[in-house]
Amino acid sequence: MPRRQGGSEMRVALQIHMPPSSALQDDKEYVGFATLPNQVHRKSVKKGFDFTLMVAGESGLGKSTLVNSLFLTDMYRDRKLLNAEERITQTVEITKHVVDIEEKGVKLRLTIVDTPGFGEAVNNTECWKPVADYIDQQFEQYFRDESGLNRKNIQDNRVHCCLYFISPFGHGLRPLDVEFMRALHQRVNIVPILAKADTLMPSEVERKKSKIREEIEHYGIRIYQFPECDSDEDEDFKLQDQALKESIPFAVIGSNMVVEAKGRRVRGRLYPWGIVEVENPAHCDFVKLRTMLVKTHMQDLKDVTRETHYENYRAQCIQSMTRMVVKERNRNKLTRESGTDFPIPAIPAVPDSETEKLIREKDKEVSARAGAWVSCQGLHQSHSRMWEAWLELRAALSPTPACSCAGLWSPRSPWQHRQPAAGPDTLPAWRISTSIPLEELTESSSIHSAKLSSALWPPAATTPPWVSLSQNWASGSFPPQELAAPFEGRVCSVHGANWPISLPLLALTHPEADVVSTLPGPVQD
Amino acid sequence: MEGELVQPAPEETPRDANPANVGLELFGYVGIEAVLDQMRIKTMKTGFEFNLMVVGQSGLGKSTMVNTLFKSKVSRKPTGPGYEERIPKTVQLQSITHVIEEKGVKMKLTVTDTPGFGDQINNENCWDPIIKYINEQYEKYLREEILISRKRKIPDTRVHSCVYFVPPTGHWLRPLDLEFMRRLSKIVNMVPVIAKADTLTLEERAEFKKRVRGLGRESVYPQEDFDDNSDDRILNNKIRDKIPFAVVGADKEHQVNGKRILGRKTKWGIIEVENPAHCEFPLLRDLLIRSHLQDLKDITHNVHYESYRMQRLNESNRLALSPINGLLGKDEVESDL
């Protein structure tokens, strides 16, 4: 008979031996998915966690010591400090140390990114650029991996948290601190830290913390915000959370050494006037920082990085790629094979034959859908044919002058109408332009100038214009049917004449036309 | 030349060949030592002047240090809680003058502060305003000295000592520190100190000093070239071994063992500023005030000012200007400050 074990054991919904009736009653209502967290837990323990922490700040603020104290390892055993002569020419570097830590069966792969040389030089303009570039690089790498074909083993090197060390010797934030944080707050979670806090008396600590908080607000820097407590958490937790929020920036002290104090061995610093204990909450905020970073908020930091910072980067990336592709397209001839609707970052890996086949199939499908899509050049040819037909029709119609403005306007101001110099035989400007190849058309011809085309054809905000057009064409109905309705019975406000025939050409050429999309044209940004 | 006035009795003075070079023994009380008293009375009446400049990044405790040195609120900053610190965009120089009196001796103390030094992102040439200021003071003195009818006591605004505050990183001197000290030790007496030294444990302090000391040993005060005699050299060597001093400043008093002591009270103990076991503030104070104050002034006058004067007169000689005539018009002289 299966016994009911403790809460962590999974209760099997299907029982082999029928239990007594009361247990059966229970099982009827019990589905069993309450054990899902345990399953997740087991899986992640097997897989292990990874966390990337960046430490940034001027040299000599105790960054390495703090990292060693936080994770109780010695990451910087082989570090050599440069002497002053060498440092004059030093630039900011980014160094990475990876360490695998295991505690009670849980594995953590910890990556520490350090920034030696930051703020060291006499002229520190843009010294945060290498740091920002590094973070962007990691995002880009992840973006490529994510958009690639093989996504099984993506390595997540994105920086999850940046501890920024503020010097305790200044009065609040220095200009360099402000610039660094402003450059990075959109890219990474910044947790400000007041370094070497054993320099400060308690009143000074309070004063500096409130000053720094004020300045952070004043400059609009968005540091990492702790998530709000749920209302059903217990009071203790809420108080703790509140205390945590009010301790920003954390005033920390780090130490690699263990000293003897009052008979106990503590991690701390030994001074002639006393001993500073690193893990004493009354002395500094080290314990709070460690709790926050490792025990309570590590997952949240990763989530915010993934959901906010990475998504922002991705959106920006895609937008800029879209714009680039559009520009590229407008320069080259548009052909059938000119790509799919949405740009994908170049896949660096060599696709195998299976995927090649897949790609080819997709290609066929796409072109089949856009069946009526012909090249722009062909489009212009067909339009010129239609224009000629219309001219003939107009000539054959009633003597009342048709709207003489059709197709004639000065290149300089599209809305200015000018009388045709020599009657109906004068070719409209639009007509002339069809003999110009498409490349030159976009550049020189002002008829397809940006203002005009966008005024005639405001592109929809979200979908690219060619997408909607292909849909139109794919549906098989050529625009004329749809456009007929708006123009029937309309009177040209400029010339007072009746609109003779509604044609998409007229729609293109008349300033009053408010047609949404007739022709694909060059989209200017 | 007392030797000429008093003829020594031959049996009392077994002398060598040249009587003029050898000090002669007196057989009675002449009263030469009374000249010291005369000097003392005179200087007490006229008073001393001392000009100190403090340079360093903001927040290193420069003003507090000055207050601690002179045990009074000399510095410009009120340390009240509502006071706003603004980092100025360029280096500014602010001088405050006070007259302090102790046991009848008056001292006119001028402290020049340099807010904005090293605080910007781009700190290139942030030492230029300071060099300009120092040279301007030399120039002022030079002008007064060159006049035909000079004042009896030329007002001395030359900077006698520049105290440079090095942040206690514990690693190395920063490039900014190096550049500044190199340039300024040529024109002024430079005394580097490690600011806020309560950040460093004793081992860290020793390490830091070892690394820092190799640089510019010749140029920081007390300079090796100007030791007068071997006694001086021994004393100065002792001082040079300890440069830069690791100092802590405090202007609040606390009760320790029944005494009121200047110090900083933290959760883990009280840092006593005047306790040599805790920090080296007493050494700095002795150097600047108790033992080497006059020496600082002398070296400023005899060495730095003289080199400035030589440089300027060489320049103005090229302009066909004679110092004897004292024709130094403002537009004629182009100072290359």
Side-chain angles (χ1 to χ4, degrees):
Chain A
M1 183 118 102
R3 263 172 289 128
R4 271 193 214 146
Q5 315 247 337
S8 59
E9 274 300 307
M10 195 163 134
R11 270 166 64 172
V12 184
L14 189 63
Q15 306 257 347
I16 301 170
H17 300 280
M18 294 306 283
S21 51
S22 60
L24 190 60
Q25 285 292 80
D26 268 342
D27 282 342
K28 275 198 190 141
E29 286 124 26
Y30 184 67
V31 179
F33 59 79
T35 57
L36 274 171
N38 301 329
Q39 299 177 35
V40 171
H41 178 257
R42 260 191 305 203
K43 275 218 155 151
S44 15
V45 166
K46 262 199 274 182
K47 201 164 73 153
F49 296 93
D50 61 3
F51 191 66
T52 307
L53 180 68
M54 173 183 270
V55 282
E58 284 177 7
S59 148
L61 286 178
K63 303 190 292 286
S64 330
T65 315
L66 186 71
V67 166
N68 285 344
S69 316
L70 271 174
F71 298 102
L72 295 176
T73 61
D74 192 2
M75 309 206 57
Y76 296 92
R77 215 171 294 127
D78 307 319
R79 186 171 69 148
K80 281 200 189 46
L81 292 172
L82 299 175
N83 71 12
E85 295 298 333
E86 291 166 16
R87 276 148 118 236
I88 285 184
T89 49
Q90 194 190 36
T91 50
V92 183
E93 301 179 334
I94 309 277
T95 58
K96 225 165 77 151
H97 300 260
V98 182
V99 128
D100 282 313
I101 307 178
E102 181 164 337
E103 190 185 63
K104 294 203 185 128
V106 181
K107 294 199 250 317
L108 174 68
R109 171 180 223 111
L110 180 68
T111 310
I112 305 278
V113 180
D114 202 348
T115 56
F118 179 81
E120 287 280 292
V122 180
N123 182 356
N124 289 316
T125 324
E126 304 255 313
C127 65
W128 53 85
K129 213 159 177 310
V131 182
D133 287 344
Y134 176 81
I135 296 179
D136 283 343
Q137 226 176 50
Q138 303 312 308
F139 279 156
E140 195 191 319
Q141 177 75 41
Y142 193 83
F143 186 34
R144 277 180 206 265
D145 286 347
E146 201 186 43
S147 322
L149 293 165
N150 186 355
R151 303 209 295 189
K152 281 213 186 81
N153 295 322
I154 302 183
Q155 242 206 356
D156 186 4
N157 287 327
R158 298 174 292 188
V159 179
H160 297 126
C161 178
C162 175
L163 295 179
Y164 186 69
F165 285 70
I166 299 172
S167 167
F169 310 126
H171 297 281
L173 293 178
R174 293 232 175 95
L176 182 62
D177 299 337
V178 174
E179 285 308 313
F180 179 88
M181 291 208 271
R182 271 221 285 239
L184 258 67
H185 65 158
Q186 307 277 21
R187 295 177 160 101
V188 73
N189 299 317
I190 297 188
V191 177
I193 297 223
L194 195 55
K196 292 203 168 176
D198 51 352
T199 323
L200 304 167
M201 303 195 290
S203 58
E204 290 174 348
V205 169
E206 276 317 306
R207 207 162 4 125
K208 283 212 166 53
K209 279 192 182 181
S210 57
K211 184 108 202 293
I212 290 176
R213 276 201 290 262
E214 246 178 65
E215 290 187 340
I216 284 180
E217 234 189 88
H218 172 72
Y219 288 107
I221 296 170
R222 299 221 294 265
I223 56 176
Y224 170 67
Q225 302 292 338
F226 297 109
E228 295 298 328
C229 285
D230 300 325
S231 51
D232 56 351
E233 299 277 359
D234 56 2
E235 268 309 307
D236 249 0
F237 191 78
K238 278 199 201 160
L239 279 174
Q240 219 182 32
D241 199 57
Q242 188 67 21
L244 205 65
K245 287 192 185 139
E246 282 168 7
S247 320
I248 296 271
F250 295 112
V252 292
I253 304 170
S255 169
N256 284 332
M257 295 181 302
V258 178
V259 294
E260 190 85 32
K262 294 177 205 145
R264 4 173 236 134
R265 295 175 64 80
V266 283
R267 190 169 265 263
R269 290 169 67 74
L270 176 65
Y271 289 113
W273 46 86
I275 295 186
V276 180
E277 295 171 39
V278 166
E279 288 171 1
N280 184 339
H283 285 190
C284 69
D285 293 334
F286 175 79
V287 176
K288 284 207 192 100
L289 174 67
R290 190 174 58 187
T291 314
M292 190 275 294
L293 204 56
V294 179
K295 287 197 200 147
T296 48
H297 288 79
M298 189 184 264
Q299 193 55 41
D300 188 56
L301 283 165
K302 291 171 74 168
D303 288 341
V304 174
T305 308
R306 204 183 54 222
E307 288 159 18
T308 313
H309 300 294
Y310 174 65
E311 289 301 314
N312 282 343
Y313 173 80
R314 190 169 167 274
Q316 261 178 27
C317 209
I318 291 183
Q319 259 178 25
S320 61
M321 276 195 213
T322 311
R323 265 185 250 130
M324 262 170 26
V325 170
V326 166
K327 280 199 190 134
E328 272 306 305
R329 257 202 220 178
N330 296 331
R331 286 197 211 103
N332 306 329
K333 267 197 226 178
L334 286 178
T335 54
R336 187 181 288 198
E337 291 84 41
S338 67
T340 53
D341 288 339
F342 289 105
I344 309 175
I347 304 166
V350 174
D352 47 64
S353 57
E354 170 88 24
T355 51
E356 283 261 29
K357 223 174 38 171
L358 209 70
I359 291 172
R360 259 182 269 124
E361 279 173 20
K362 275 213 155 269
D363 241 348
K364 272 194 233 142
E365 204 185 300
V366 163
S367 42
R369 242 194 294 139
W373 182 296
V374 294
S375 70
C376 215
Q377 198 73 324
L379 208 59
H380 275 275
Q381 280 170 10
S382 67
H383 276 266
S384 61
R385 266 183 267 120
M386 282 159 55
W387 176 258
E388 273 166 330
W390 181 70
L391 276 180
E392 281 162 17
L393 204 53
R394 192 183 74 168
L397 279 179
S398 69
T400 48
C403 175
S404 56
C405 69
L408 303 169
W409 60 87
S410 152
R412 264 164 232 89
S413 53
W415 307 126
Q416 286 275 10
H417 297 310
R418 64 174 160 82
Q419 297 307 317
D425 289 327
T426 316
L427 294 174
W430 185 90
R431 173 74 164 99
I432 295 171
S433 69
T434 54
S435 56
I436 305 173
L438 190 55
E439 294 88 351
E440 286 162 56
L441 197 70
T442 53
E443 244 72 67
S444 56
S445 160
S446 57
I447 289 169
H448 290 282
S449 71
K451 275 206 203 109
L452 183 58
S453 56
S454 60
L456 279 180
W457 172 30
T462 49
T463 55
W466 55 90
V467 172
S468 53
L469 183 57
S470 68
Q471 285 168 0
N472 275 341
W473 288 54
S475 65
S477 64
F478 184 68
Q481 277 76 27
E482 295 160 293
L483 289 177
F487 292 106
E488 252 157 27
R490 274 183 60 170
V491 174
C492 170
S493 60
V494 177
H495 301 94
N498 281 324
W499 282 65
I501 297 173
S502 61
L503 272 181
L505 307 168
L506 187 58
L508 177 70
T509 57
H510 197 277
E512 276 195 321
D514 53 0
V515 104
V516 171
S517 67
T518 52
L519 268 186
V523 177
Q524 206 88 8
D525 285 357
Chain B
M1 303 302 284
E2 312 78 63
E4 289 160 22
L5 297 172
V6 179
Q7 290 296 331
E11 64 275 18
E12 285 176 11
T13 57
R15 293 293 181 219
D16 314 333
N18 209 341
N21 284 349
V22 178
L24 297 167
E25 249 185 52
L26 309 167
F27 49 76
Y29 177 68
V30 176
I32 301 159
E33 59 175 355
V35 78
L36 289 174
D37 288 329
Q38 294 170 33
M39 275 179 62
R40 190 177 300 134
I41 296 172
K42 202 142 201 217
T43 49
M44 272 173 70
K45 270 202 259 173
T46 54
F48 292 93
E49 276 176 328
F50 187 57
N51 305 324
L52 183 68
M53 178 185 269
V54 282
V55 185
Q57 275 187 323
S58 77
L60 284 180
K62 303 186 291 289
S63 316
T64 315
M65 177 56 60
V66 171
N67 288 347
T68 320
L69 271 173
F70 296 102
K71 291 230 174 57
S72 45
K73 293 268 190 265
V74 169
S75 165
R76 59 184 173 94
K77 265 193 270 189
T79 46
Y83 186 69
E84 275 293 312
E85 270 301 320
R86 289 253 170 268
I87 296 181
K89 292 284 178 204
T90 53
V91 180
Q92 298 170 350
L93 286 126
Q94 297 170 348
S95 294
I96 300 193
T97 308
H98 292 267
V99 176
I100 316 179
E101 182 173 331
E102 188 186 57
K103 292 205 183 119
V105 179
K106 286 204 205 56
M107 180 157 88
K108 185 170 165 225
L109 171 71
T110 307
V111 177
T112 309
D113 201 347
T114 55
F117 177 83
D119 286 329
Q120 306 308 320
I121 297 180
N122 182 358
N123 289 317
E124 267 170 12
N125 301 325
C126 61
W127 46 78
D128 280 347
I130 299 175
I131 295 183
K132 190 165 154 220
Y133 175 81
I134 294 176
N135 284 337
E136 267 170 21
Q137 309 312 310
Y138 287 152
E139 182 69 25
K140 260 196 232 164
Y141 196 88
L142 182 66
R143 297 234 175 119
E144 292 285 334
E145 211 186 30
I146 283 183
L147 291 177
I148 298 174
S149 61
R150 302 197 280 206
K151 292 203 195 111
R152 199 192 252 174
K153 186 164 165 23
I154 302 176
D156 188 5
T157 54
R158 300 170 295 188
V159 177
H160 297 132
S161 163
C162 173
V163 181
Y164 184 67
F165 286 73
V166 173
T169 56
H171 295 318
W172 282 98
L173 283 183
R174 299 168 305 157
L176 176 65
D177 302 334
L178 268 182
E179 290 282 320
F180 180 81
M181 294 216 292
R182 271 195 196 138
R183 279 158 214 261
L184 254 76
S185 48
K186 296 193 188 109
I187 54 176
V188 76
N189 294 321
M190 171 74 69
V191 182
V193 294
I194 302 176
K196 295 206 169 176
D198 50 346
T199 321
L200 302 169
T201 59
L202 294 179
E203 302 89 36
E204 288 168 357
R205 195 193 283 177
E207 270 296 309
F208 189 37
K209 280 201 193 179
K210 208 163 48 150
R211 289 196 200 123
V212 158
R213 202 171 294 133
L215 313 154
R217 232 193 112 115
E218 318 73 41
S219 47
V220 299
Y221 183 83
Q223 293 92 337
E224 278 177 342
D225 308 325
F226 310 130
D227 288 339
D228 289 330
N229 51 31
S230 55
D231 284 339
D232 266 355
R233 187 158 299 136
I234 295 174
L235 179 64
N236 285 349
N237 274 341
K238 273 204 222 129
I239 294 177
R240 277 188 280 264
D241 280 338
K242 296 241 171 69
I243 293 248
F245 296 127
V247 295
V248 175
D251 44 8
K252 290 206 181 64
E253 289 187 336
H254 301 277
Q255 284 278 80
V256 173
N257 295 338
K259 290 187 289 179
R260 298 210 47 90
I261 298 258
L262 270 184
R264 283 169 66 78
K265 184 160 186 199
T266 56
K267 287 203 181 108
W268 40 87
I270 297 188
I271 305 165
E272 296 169 34
V273 167
E274 300 198 10
N275 185 339
H278 287 192
C279 76
E280 291 172 348
F281 171 77
L283 294 177
L284 177 70
R285 184 197 47 206
D286 292 347
L287 179 78
L288 280 183
I289 303 176
R290 287 189 194 171
S291 49
H292 283 68
L293 194 142
Q294 191 56 42
D295 191 45
L296 282 166
K297 292 175 69 174
D298 287 341
I299 294 198
T300 309
H301 182 71
N302 296 333
V303 176
H304 297 296
Y305 172 66
E306 284 303 312
S307 67
Y308 177 80
R309 184 171 168 273
M310 231 171 22
Q311 198 191 18
R312 289 284 291 114
L313 293 181
N314 276 338
E315 277 171 19
S316 39
N317 271 340
R318 281 187 248 125
L319 300 176
L321 187 67
S322 164
I324 301 172
N325 298 340
L327 294 171
L328 266 179
K330 282 210 172 72
D331 27 47
E332 282 177 286
V333 178
E334 275 162 355
S335 46
D336 204 26
L337 296 175

